[in-house]
Amino acid sequence: MAEHEAIKLFESLRVRVVWDDVQEKYFFSIVDVVAVLTDQATARSASTYWAVLKKRLSTEGANEMLTNCKQLKLTATDGKQRLTDVADTEQLMRIIQSIPSKKAEPFKQWLAQVGAERIRQMQDPERSIEQMVRDYRRLGYSENWINQRIKTIEIRKGLTDEWKRSGIEHESEYARLTDLMSKIWSGMTTREYKEHKGLTDQNLRDNMTNMELLLNALAEQTATDLSKERNPEGLLEAAHVAKDGAEVARNAREDIEQRLGHSVISDKKAIDYITPDDELPFKK
C-alpha cells in the first residue's frame, strides 16, 4: 500500500492524515480528532479519552469495523514514528456521533472539504504540489530546501517513468535499482542510509540535507538522460544505466568532499536541523 502522511489543519489544530493510493481514501488519526473535538490539552489525555470511548462502543455492541480500527505508523511531535489508530471518513463520522461536542458539525463540514480538495488535486496535480509545499512549511523546512525537494520529486518521477519504459514492473525491482544507485553514489543502501541517520519508517529524502538532495538528484537525472539515449530493456540493462548515473554523482561527491575536507553525507535527520516553528519568517 502506497501511503503518504500529511498534516491538515482544522481551526489551526493539527490532524495527521494518510492518503492511501491503492484504496484512494484518507485515514485520519483518531486521537488527533478526539483532541480537536474534546479540547484535550495533551496527546496522552486524548489517547485516554479514545481508549475509554472505544471500550464503551465495544460494550454497547458497536459495529466491529468501528471498534477494530486499523493502525498506521504516524509521526509524533518528537519526530518518531508510532503506531496510531486511524479511521477512514465513514468510520470517523460514526465516532464523531459518539462524542458530545459543539465542534462536531463544523468538523464534519471540514471532512467534506478535505475530501473535495483531494479530488481537485487528483484532477489538477499542481494543487497537490501546492499542498505539499504548505505541509513542508508547517513542519518547519526552509524555503530553499522545499524548492529543492519539489524538484527532486519531479526528477524521481522522470526516472521511474524511464524504468517503466524499460520494462520494470515490480516494486521489488524499483527498490533494487534505487538501492544500487544509493550504494554507488553515497556508499550506503537505502536501509543503511536510514540507519546512519537514525531513521525508522520516516522518508529518507525528507531527512536529507540540501547537499544530499542535490547529489541524489544528480544521480537520478543523469540516469534518466542516459536511459533516454540508450533505451535499455529489462532489469539488467536498466541497472547498468542506473550504475553509470550514480557514478557521476559519486565522483561529484568525492570531489566536493576533497575540497571541503569532510563528508557531505550527514547523520542528521530533519528534526535536528529544520527551523523551529516559532522562528519561521512566514509564521504570524
Side-chain angles (χ1 to χ4, degrees):
M1 176 170 61
E3 300 165 348
H4 310 278
E5 182 180 347
I7 301 293
K8 301 291 184 183
L9 293 181
F10 171 77
E11 296 181 353
S12 78
L13 300 173
R14 293 157 57 98
V15 178
R16 290 168 294 172
V17 302
V18 173
W19 174 257
D20 184 328
D21 283 338
V22 177
Q23 299 185 57
E24 294 190 346
K25 64 167 66 174
Y26 273 122
F27 288 92
F28 300 79
S29 165
I30 297 176
V31 293
D32 291 356
V33 174
V34 167
V36 167
L37 296 179
T38 62
D39 296 319
Q40 298 294 323
T42 65
R44 181 183 295 274
S45 60
S47 296
T48 301
Y49 188 104
W50 166 234
V52 173
L53 176 60
K54 183 162 58 170
K55 184 177 181 179
R56 177 169 65 80
L57 291 172
S58 179
T59 302
E60 293 174 354
N63 190 301
E64 183 179 355
M65 178 187 71
L66 181 60
T67 56
N68 293 336
C69 295
K70 67 184 295 183
Q71 291 187 319
L72 293 174
K73 283 190 175 182
L74 301 182
T75 305
T77 53
D78 61 3
K80 295 182 179 180
Q81 296 266 308
R82 292 189 173 85
L83 281 174
T84 305
D85 282 350
V86 296
D88 62 21
T89 303
E90 180 182 358
Q91 290 174 306
L92 204 57
M93 292 292 280
R94 296 183 183 182
I95 292 172
I96 293 171
Q97 292 174 359
S98 303
I99 300 176
S101 172
K102 62 182 180 181
K103 296 181 180 179
E105 287 306 315
F107 194 86
K108 290 177 183 178
Q109 295 174 14
W110 177 81
L111 281 178
Q113 292 172 358
V114 169
E117 176 63 22
R118 181 61 194 181
I119 292 174
R120 290 194 293 270
Q121 289 176 0
M122 293 172 71
Q123 295 172 339
D124 182 1
E126 186 175 340
R127 286 179 177 270
S128 182
I129 293 174
E130 291 172 353
Q131 181 61 54
M132 191 182 306
V133 169
R134 289 194 291 270
D135 290 340
Y136 280 132
R137 281 176 175 167
R138 281 196 290 267
L139 291 172
Y141 289 93
S142 71
E143 292 296 305
N144 185 38
W145 186 95
I146 293 172
N147 291 334
Q148 290 194 52
R149 182 70 178 100
I150 298 302
K151 185 62 179 178
T152 62
I153 292 172
E154 176 188 341
I155 291 172
R156 174 68 179 181
K157 178 63 165 55
L159 178 59
T160 56
D161 285 348
E162 276 299 303
W163 285 346
K164 184 176 181 179
R165 189 172 70 89
S166 301
I168 307 303
E169 299 178 352
H170 303 292
E171 287 190 14
S172 61
E173 294 178 323
Y174 283 85
R176 288 174 63 185
L177 290 171
T178 301
D179 267 350
L180 171 66
M181 295 186 69
S182 178
K183 184 70 174 181
I184 291 173
W185 83 258
S186 72
M188 294 176 283
T189 63
T190 302
R191 180 177 180 179
E192 292 168 343
Y193 210 151
K194 293 178 72 171
E195 290 176 349
H196 179 66
K197 286 181 173 289
L199 304 173
T200 52
D201 295 328
Q202 299 99 314
N203 185 295
L204 174 59
R205 295 169 195 238
D206 282 353
N207 287 275
M208 285 184 172
T209 64
N210 287 345
M211 180 62 75
E212 290 171 310
L213 282 176
L214 285 169
L215 289 169
N216 191 67
L218 175 60
E220 295 190 334
Q221 185 63 62
T222 304
T224 300
D225 293 344
L226 289 173
S227 179
K228 291 177 180 178
E229 290 289 332
R230 299 180 186 176
N231 296 310
E233 296 183 5
L235 180 61
L236 183 59
E237 292 185 11
H240 283 298
V241 173
K243 174 178 176 292
D244 288 347
E247 285 178 345
V248 171
R250 180 191 64 194
N251 294 338
R253 174 179 66 82
E254 291 176 347
D255 185 33
I256 293 169
E257 290 177 342
Q258 182 178 7
R259 294 171 186 271
L260 289 176
H262 61 79
S263 174
V264 296
I265 304 299
S266 174
D267 61 355
K268 294 184 180 297
K269 47 187 175 288
I271 197 172
D272 297 325
Y273 59 81
I274 60 176
T275 306
D277 206 43
D278 57 1
E279 295 180 13
L280 294 176
F282 44 80
K283 290 289 182 181
K284 301 298 184 184

